[in-house]
Amino acid sequence: MYRVLIVDDEKIEREGIKFLLEKEEGEQEIYEASNGKQALNILRMQDIDLLLTDIKMPHMDGLELAREAREISDAIQIVIFSGYSDFSFAQEAIHYGVTDYVLKPVDPERFHDTVHKAKMAISRRKKEKQQAEKEKSFLQQYFLQSYLYSGKEEILEKAGEMIALEEWDKWHCAILVETDQAFFDMAPDSMPEDIQEELRRKFFYLNLNTRQSILLFNDIYCDYELVAKQIYLQLKRSYHVRFHLAVSRKFEDHTDLPEVLGQLEQAMEEKFYHPDTHVFTSEDDESRPVNDETQDSQLMQKISEDISRKDVEQLWKHFNCLSEKYQKNTQFSAMYVKFVFSNVIQELFEESQFSEERLLDKEIDRLYNCNDIAQILTITRENIQEYQNFIEQSMSGSRDEVAAVKSYIYQHYNEDLSLETLADKVYLSSGYLSFIFKKETGMNLNRFIRVVRMEKAKELLCSTNMKVAQVSEQVGIPNVSYFCRSFREYYGSSPESYRKGNGEDEQSIGDNKE
């Protein structure tokens, strides 16, 4: 698509030029102006590619218009029309940013050659700009992913030498999109643009792995939970895949990004317990006021989930929230308070192995014999502490399951690996495997699989003569385009450049970012 502006004070002249333009190949959008001032208004409002102007006009001649147009856009192609008596004037205009000139009366062949030449220059300039933007986008993705997963200052220092980190400080909310299967390696490249068009708002898109992508937004005053629901509905309409989305808290600048990603991944774990809920939030529940009985059931639900996933840290947080409520509020009866905390202890004893070590009836009797809130809280804390000790002891045995999963990934990285498949191999629930794997290795399973595949790809590129497509297939990523994009995001250079030895500088960051 080319945008062309015709400027001439004679309507019949404009019509003649327009007639000739319409015979040219390619899609074009034509604007008209009868003088220089009108033309400048259009130039300021529209991204004009080609300016065709007469040299003699009232108020502002073509030469002055050319100078003004060049200040507005250094990429615009400018062609002026002049009579034979203005020939030397037209030649002088070349020094003022005019691309070419055409003598009047206009010869159709000369006009065609001139316009064709101008459009070739426009097309070349646009391709160069697109390539530069693509390179910039790759660098943004490469450094951003490195920093998200590592949080290292040296990544920021290196990034600051090559890209404008001020752009990162414009982001104030993130939405993590996750699927239960390898989707993003097959997703169309137009997917982010399709979402932007649907939302009518821009964001920065970063693919993290075959099952996760993250969207970063600028607006501060926005209900992003509502935005996430809209994204989910669009994805559901467009693709036959189960999607879950997690919405981050509002954050100030790029220094919060690694923590935000961690909070999003933690919020996403809720899908194991609520598979029919598709939008989750990482806002702190503890920051919300708790002052009625309805909230007790919500807190108890969270405590139950904490125990199911063996997340002791969150268990303590939710217990402290519950205890703070009853220490501040005295309107509840003693019997009701004992009932609430007895439920906490009963949830703990739902863990069968833990219940073998302590007797539920004995602990409940102790609690109901308490004379004040302090005693009730002490007994509940003791039971949570015993549960924590039990979990820490049992976690030492989980290393064998984690080691077995890692071994299976090393041997089967070229297959479609899902959390459910890996959990079945070690006879664990997918939720528990996800928990102990993150606890043991410091990274989630999807990220670990990606690291293994990228490392193996590097090895194959450096030690074999396999084609890039073959390497992609060998490491379990059948989509070559996605593999190349993922490899570049991880190592900072394309597979071909890496093989030739051009990716050594970038490799130092890629090797340390996970």
Side-chain angles (χ1 to χ4, degrees):
M1 164 71 79
Y2 299 94
R3 288 190 175 93
V4 185
L5 173 59
I6 305 170
V7 188
D8 199 304
D9 59 331
E10 297 288 341
K11 182 176 176 59
I12 191 169
E13 295 286 348
R14 297 198 304 272
E15 290 295 329
I17 298 300
K18 188 175 179 181
F19 173 76
L20 292 175
L21 271 176
E22 289 172 346
K23 296 174 68 174
E24 297 291 321
E25 294 182 359
E27 188 177 357
Q28 52 194 3
E29 194 172 312
I30 300 174
Y31 298 83
E32 297 180 50
S34 61
N35 58 62
K37 290 184 178 180
Q38 285 183 5
L40 284 177
N41 288 333
I42 294 172
L43 286 167
R44 292 186 181 109
M45 295 174 62
Q46 301 292 336
D47 188 12
I48 300 296
D49 299 305
L50 173 59
L51 171 64
L52 304 174
T53 180
D54 190 19
I55 201 166
K56 281 193 173 180
M57 295 181 295
H59 308 301
M60 179 185 292
D61 62 35
L63 189 58
E64 186 179 353
L65 175 60
R67 286 198 300 264
E68 295 277 358
R70 183 62 67 202
E71 289 183 8
I72 293 172
S73 170
D74 61 355
I76 192 171
Q77 295 288 303
I78 304 172
V79 175
I80 60 172
F81 299 96
S82 69
Y84 282 101
S85 60
D86 305 315
F87 184 68
S88 59
F89 193 30
Q91 286 184 311
E92 183 184 351
I94 301 297
H95 301 293
Y96 295 94
V98 173
T99 308
D100 206 346
Y101 60 89
V102 176
L103 294 176
K104 289 183 177 181
V106 175
D107 174 53
E109 288 189 14
R110 166 65 173 158
F111 178 83
H112 167 74
D113 291 342
T114 300
V115 170
H116 178 71
K117 177 182 172 184
K119 286 187 174 181
M120 290 291 289
I122 293 167
S123 179
R124 184 168 57 252
R125 184 71 176 258
K126 285 186 174 182
K127 286 180 180 178
E128 290 172 355
K129 183 179 178 181
Q130 288 173 354
Q131 183 62 30
E133 289 176 350
K134 189 175 181 181
E135 291 293 331
K136 179 183 176 182
S137 178
F138 272 126
L139 285 172
Q140 287 268 27
Q141 292 166 1
Y142 167 59
F143 285 114
L144 178 59
Q145 191 164 71
S146 300
Y147 182 61
L148 278 172
Y149 285 142
S150 71
K152 294 180 178 178
E153 285 297 322
E154 52 263 39
I155 300 293
L156 291 180
E157 293 175 6
K158 183 72 174 178
E161 298 172 4
M162 306 179 73
I163 59 175
L165 290 181
E166 293 81 6
E167 293 297 314
W168 293 14
D169 287 330
K170 295 178 182 178
W171 300 326
H172 296 292
C173 188
I175 296 178
L176 181 67
V177 183
E178 185 170 295
T179 67
D180 295 330
Q181 56 187 275
F183 165 77
F184 290 106
D185 59 339
M186 302 298 292
D189 292 339
S190 63
M191 187 188 71
E193 288 76 15
D194 293 340
I195 297 175
Q196 286 188 127
E197 185 176 347
E198 177 84 7
L199 294 177
R200 297 181 183 274
R201 67 173 65 242
K202 292 185 177 182
F203 54 78
F204 186 85
Y205 173 84
L206 177 66
N207 173 236
L208 299 176
N209 51 65
T210 59
R211 290 178 169 83
Q212 290 179 318
S213 287
I214 192 168
L215 284 56
L216 295 151
F217 295 84
N218 292 0
D219 294 348
I220 298 176
Y221 304 106
C222 178
D223 183 350
Y224 282 106
E225 191 169 352
L226 188 62
V227 170
K229 289 177 180 177
Q230 190 174 351
I231 294 172
Y232 167 72
L233 291 174
Q234 181 188 356
L235 292 173
K236 183 182 178 182
R237 285 196 311 267
S238 304
Y239 310 102
H240 300 293
V241 179
R242 284 179 60 84
F243 291 95
H244 292 87
L245 291 80
V247 183
S248 80
R249 61 176 173 80
K250 301 289 177 62
F251 52 89
E252 291 298 321
D253 54 44
H254 67 266
T255 58
D256 294 328
L257 287 169
E259 180 183 355
V260 165
L261 178 60
Q263 291 171 346
L264 285 171
E265 289 182 335
Q266 183 175 334
M268 191 64 78
E269 292 179 6
E270 294 290 325
K271 72 176 185 175
F272 178 71
Y273 303 97
H274 304 287
D276 295 327
T277 300
H278 295 277
V279 176
F280 303 97
T281 177
S282 64
E283 294 283 358
D284 292 335
D285 296 303
E286 291 77 12
S287 64
R288 300 173 185 173
V290 183
N291 52 19
D292 57 48
E293 294 184 17
T294 304
Q295 296 256 347
D296 287 340
S297 63
Q298 297 172 3
L299 277 171
M300 286 307 305
Q301 178 65 31
K302 292 185 178 298
I303 287 172
S304 176
E305 292 169 0
D306 296 337
I307 294 168
S308 297
R309 67 161 70 98
K310 299 177 174 58
D311 191 343
V312 178
E313 182 179 353
Q314 286 298 309
L315 173 59
W316 279 115
K317 284 184 179 180
H318 289 126
F319 165 74
N320 289 334
C321 184
L322 195 64
S323 62
E324 183 180 354
K325 169 184 175 178
Y326 287 102
Q327 285 176 309
K328 289 183 177 179
N329 295 279
T330 59
Q331 70 268 33
F332 300 101
S333 69
M335 188 59 69
Y336 178 75
V337 175
K338 291 175 181 178
F339 167 78
V340 170
F341 286 94
S342 69
N343 273 274
V344 176
I345 294 176
Q346 289 183 58
E347 289 290 346
L348 291 169
F349 274 78
E350 287 295 319
E351 176 61 59
S352 58
Q353 292 172 297
F354 175 70
S355 64
E356 290 173 4
E357 299 183 13
R358 298 173 66 86
L359 298 175
L360 175 60
D361 290 342
K362 177 184 176 182
E363 295 305 306
I364 296 297
D365 287 342
R366 284 181 65 204
L367 188 141
Y368 272 94
N369 287 325
C370 291
N371 297 318
D372 56 48
I373 183 66
Q375 292 177 355
I376 292 173
L377 295 178
T378 297
I379 290 173
T380 310
R381 286 194 190 95
E382 288 175 358
N383 277 272
I384 294 176
Q385 186 60 56
E386 286 292 330
Y387 178 74
Q388 180 176 347
N389 296 340
F390 165 77
I391 291 299
E392 289 174 351
Q393 291 173 7
S394 62
M395 279 295 291
S396 61
S398 70
R399 293 191 178 122
D400 292 337
E401 284 85 358
V402 172
V405 168
K406 290 171 70 174
S407 177
Y408 186 87
I409 293 170
Y410 285 130
Q411 296 175 32
H412 300 270
Y413 56 83
N414 59 337
E415 300 175 5
D416 183 15
L417 299 174
S418 68
L419 179 58
E420 290 72 21
T421 299
L422 296 171
D424 288 342
K425 298 296 178 183
V426 289
Y427 307 100
L428 295 175
S429 70
S430 55
Y432 186 50
L433 174 60
S434 178
F435 171 76
I436 64 173
F437 194 94
K438 179 75 176 286
K439 192 90 170 177
E440 187 69 25
T441 66
M443 68 174 72
N444 65 27
L445 268 167
N446 287 333
R447 198 188 310 170
F448 183 83
I449 292 169
R450 182 174 186 270
V451 170
V452 171
R453 284 173 170 165
M454 289 297 102
E455 291 293 334
K456 188 63 180 178
K458 177 183 72 172
E459 178 185 328
L460 292 173
L461 285 168
C462 294
S463 62
T464 72
N465 293 321
M466 284 184 180
K467 295 181 178 178
V468 171
Q470 292 174 309
V471 172
S472 175
E473 186 74 21
Q474 282 291 313
V475 299
I477 305 177
N479 186 312
V480 180
S481 176
Y482 177 85
F483 167 75
C484 292
R485 186 166 71 248
S486 184
F487 188 94
R488 183 161 188 167
E489 290 169 358
Y490 190 83
Y491 286 110
S493 63
S494 68
E496 293 89 348
S497 297
Y498 197 96
R499 171 173 270 164
K500 293 175 183 177
N502 295 331
E504 293 178 359
D505 292 339
E506 293 86 350
Q507 181 184 355
S508 62
I509 295 178
D511 289 342
N512 293 323
K513 72 180 178 178
E514 296 292 350

